[in-house]
Amino acid sequence: MTLRLAVFASGTGSNFVAIAQAIDAGKVDAELALLFCDNPNAPVITRAAEMGIPSLAIAPADCANRVDYETRIREALDESQIQLVALAGYMRIVGAPLLESYEGRIINIHPSLLPAFPGRHAIEDAWVAGVSETGVSIHYVDEGIDTGPLIAQQRIPILPGETCEELENRIHRVEHRLYPDAIQTVIGGFNES
Ligand code: GRF
């Protein structure tokens, strides 16, 4: 049976689109069954609609508390029979209701060579620090911030004289290839076990 995948995103959704396109191209053996977004006005929702992918938006401000918010998400995932969750620019910490229900089944993409530069501004932090290389990491999600076990990483040199924006564009291009590949690796592992 084809694995049922959900992508969680908060904003632009270029990784969401890359994953959807990789599935369409037969590079990832999954059905993108749900886009979840925490911001009803995010551009990624329009992208999902254009691609015919079901989406759900719940704003945390419309929920009683964080447990209520995540419980509603969990119910939606159960209803859509989701087997794997890929966070792609989802700007929230995942809490206990989701982590407990989807243990080992939530993964994330982060634009640095973890454990270096965790957090929200990873690309800018690496660029400002003047390090010679950064990268992209795909990892399982645990209760920490960008701390779970690694699935895949790619190193990216920071070129002399490169602007932060140029670096960001190169990082995104790597992300759009590495994330679908890593999702397929995870799915392959599920199929073997
Ligand atoms: C990506 O750089 C991802 O690594 C980070 O957030 C960004 C999301 O970009 N977690 P997009 O919304 O997929 O274009």
Side-chain angles (χ1 to χ4, degrees), residues 45-122:
I45 293 176
T46 310
R47 292 183 165 198
E50 286 164 357
M51 299 180 91
I53 295 165
S55 68
L56 170 71
I58 302 175
D62 293 336
C63 302
N65 51 45
R66 198 168 120 179
V67 172
D68 175 42
Y69 169 68
E70 288 215 346
T71 303
R72 286 171 62 179
I73 299 172
R74 190 180 61 195
E75 285 167 2
L77 296 182
D78 289 348
E79 203 172 298
S80 296
Q81 298 181 294
I82 298 301
Q83 296 162 289
L84 177 66
V85 174
L87 309 184
Y90 179 64
M91 305 308 278
R92 293 190 176 275
I93 294 169
V94 177
L98 282 174
L99 283 177
E100 284 165 10
S101 303
Y102 282 83
E103 199 187 347
R105 288 178 174 266
I106 306 179
I107 64 177
N108 182 43
I109 184 164
H110 183 77
S112 80
L113 217 48
L114 289 172
F117 305 111
R120 275 180 179 242
H121 307 290

Side-chain angles (χ1 to χ4, degrees), residues 168-184:
E168 186 170 351
N169 289 335
R170 286 198 304 119
I171 286 177
H172 286 318
R173 281 203 291 278
V174 170
E175 288 187 324
H176 298 162
R177 184 187 46 72
L178 193 67
Y179 208 7
D181 286 356
I183 291 170
Q184 182 55 32

